[in-house]
Amino acid sequence: MSNFYRFPAMAKLNERDNADQIAKIDEEVSEAREAYFSSVDEIAYGVELMDIIQATETALRMNFTDEEVEHLRQLTIEKNRKRGYYGE
């Protein structure tokens, strides 16, 4: 079992397709944007950000093994480190 994921796997994961999941991620980003700009409730904004993470985790689960996800995580860290995004 992977230590990467923060949320449980969604039910019926195999019934989703990538196009639908990307649309779900877009939907969650829109909801986060709306919560940020239209609400004084920081909790609502935070929950929407968490929904983005969960939707993205679902997309990763749909396409990659745990080992592949870890490799992708390392590649992303390396890429962002080279860009100077980390305070190292």
Side-chain angles (χ1 to χ4, degrees), residues 10-60:
M10 299 297 287
K12 302 178 183 178
L13 189 64
N14 295 336
E15 294 179 14
R16 299 170 181 255
D17 68 22
N18 285 315
D20 289 338
Q21 196 59 31
I22 288 293
K24 182 63 174 171
I25 293 168
D26 284 343
E27 176 186 320
E28 298 300 350
V29 169
S30 294
E31 289 176 5
R33 184 180 303 109
E34 182 178 327
Y36 176 77
F37 286 113
S38 68
S39 175
V40 294
D41 182 4
E42 287 184 2
I43 299 298
Y45 175 56
V47 168
E48 296 305 336
L49 291 174
M50 287 293 183
D51 280 343
I52 295 168
I53 294 169
Q54 184 163 1
T56 303
E57 285 186 0
T58 298
L60 288 168

Side-chain angles (χ1 to χ4, degrees), residues 32-88:
R33 184 180 303 109
E34 182 178 327
Y36 176 77
F37 286 113
S38 68
S39 175
V40 294
D41 182 4
E42 287 184 2
I43 299 298
Y45 175 56
V47 168
E48 296 305 336
L49 291 174
M50 287 293 183
D51 280 343
I52 295 168
I53 294 169
Q54 184 163 1
T56 303
E57 285 186 0
T58 298
L60 288 168
R61 280 187 168 108
M62 290 168 60
N63 291 281
F64 303 100
T65 66
D66 288 350
E67 293 79 18
E68 290 169 328
V69 167
E70 179 56 28
H71 180 69
L72 293 168
R73 187 181 78 82
Q74 290 299 324
L75 290 173
T76 303
I77 290 170
E78 181 180 321
K79 174 189 76 173
N80 289 330
R81 183 171 283 130
K82 287 178 183 175
R83 293 179 177 179
Y85 291 166
Y86 302 129
E88 300 175 328

